[in-house]
Amino acid sequence: MRIRTCAVLLFVSAFFVAGARPALAQSAGSTEVGVSYSFLQMYDYKAPGGVAVDFARTLRPMGGGSLGVVGELGVNHFSDDLLVDGENQLSLMGGVRLAAPKRGQIRPFGQVLMGLLSSFDEHDFAIQPGGGVNMTLRPNTDLRVQVDFPFDFAASKTFTGFRFNVGVAFWLK
């Protein structure tokens, strides 16, 4: 329940911030802030409520597309009959994002993130490839749909997962 409340507060706050910014193109030095609600399936459990916040910086435009760096903070909550109080998973990752040229109102992207994944009293290294599309809502606001495939390299076993995100992305200067 707390994660859903945080997600709503983050979405509302992000809309107020984005409304005050001018529209801009994805040029070198532009910054994108994304806030998403996520559904994660991993470790034989489902985490139907989660939040992912990412910050991306465009380093270099490339033939209509762009190359950038991205950092992400994710929080998901696993709840199951076997988990009495549930379990939270925290991810803190960074990596690269390659955005394809915009086609109409749609801009596809792919990314690879690496970093820390913490859950079930374990702190592991993880790699998370993924991708999605940004669809223009306003000149500086996009609707984002994204899928990720996290790999958790735990001490005893490698776990794979699937994460589906829906949210908004804002372009700032």
Side-chain angles (χ1 to χ4, degrees), residues 7 20 26 29 57 72 103 120 134 164 172:
Q26 290 183 7
R57 181 89 168 161
E72 180 188 276
R103 295 193 176 162
F120 298 99
N134 283 355
F164 178 75
L172 312 171

Side-chain angles (χ1 to χ4, degrees), residues 102 104-106 134-143:
K102 192 171 186 178
Q105 301 298 315
I106 296 176
N134 283 355
M135 296 166 275
T136 303
L137 295 175
R138 293 183 21 204
N140 64 331
T141 307
D142 296 337
L143 171 67

Side-chain angles (χ1 to χ4, degrees), residues 42-43 89 93 112-119 122-129 149-161:
M42 196 165 191
Y43 315 113
Q89 179 189 69
M93 299 189 184
V112 177
L113 306 179
M114 296 180 221
L116 173 71
L117 193 62
S118 179
S119 59
E122 297 286 330
H123 308 289
D124 305 320
F125 174 73
I127 296 177
Q128 180 176 281
F149 303 94
F151 293 89
D152 177 1
F153 297 100
S156 62
K157 184 179 177 184
T158 299
F159 297 96
T160 59

Side-chain angles (χ1 to χ4, degrees), residues 156-173:
S156 62
K157 184 179 177 184
T158 299
F159 297 96
T160 59
F162 173 79
R163 188 175 76 165
F164 178 75
N165 299 317
V166 176
V168 290
F170 305 101
W171 289 96
L172 312 171
K173 188 64 177 175

Side-chain angles (χ1 to χ4, degrees), residues 9-172:
L9 290 174
L10 284 170
F11 276 111
V12 170
S13 299
F15 273 113
F16 283 113
V17 169
R21 301 287 182 198
L24 54 95
Q26 290 183 7
S27 58
S30 59
T31 302
E32 179 184 9
V33 178
V35 181
S36 300
Y37 182 82
S38 68
F39 170 84
L40 173 69
Q41 180 157 353
M42 196 165 191
Y43 315 113
D44 296 326
Y45 297 112
K46 292 180 182 175
V51 176
V53 178
D54 69 73
F55 299 90
R57 181 89 168 161
T58 302
L59 298 177
R60 182 176 148 187
M62 296 172 29
S66 63
L67 174 67
V69 293
V70 61
E72 180 188 276
L73 172 66
V75 179
N76 289 86
H77 182 74
F78 294 103
S79 56
D80 190 286
D81 294 339
L82 300 175
L83 300 171
V84 178
D85 294 327
E87 178 69 29
N88 289 325
Q89 179 189 69
L90 174 69
S91 62
L92 183 58
M93 299 189 184
V96 295
R97 178 179 290 166
L98 181 61
K102 192 171 186 178
R103 295 193 176 162
Q105 301 298 315
I106 296 176
R107 184 176 189 91
F109 66 91
Q111 64 185 27
V112 177
L113 306 179
M114 296 180 221
L116 173 71
L117 193 62
S118 179
S119 59
F120 298 99
D121 295 324
E122 297 286 330
H123 308 289
D124 305 320
F125 174 73
I127 296 177
Q128 180 176 281
V133 294
N134 283 355
M135 296 166 275
T136 303
L137 295 175
R138 293 183 21 204
N140 64 331
T141 307
D142 296 337
L143 171 67
R144 176 181 292 163
V145 178
Q146 178 179 338
V147 294
D148 298 308
F149 303 94
F151 293 89
D152 177 1
F153 297 100
S156 62
K157 184 179 177 184
T158 299
F159 297 96
T160 59
F162 173 79
R163 188 175 76 165
F164 178 75
N165 299 317
V166 176
V168 290
F170 305 101
W171 289 96
L172 312 171

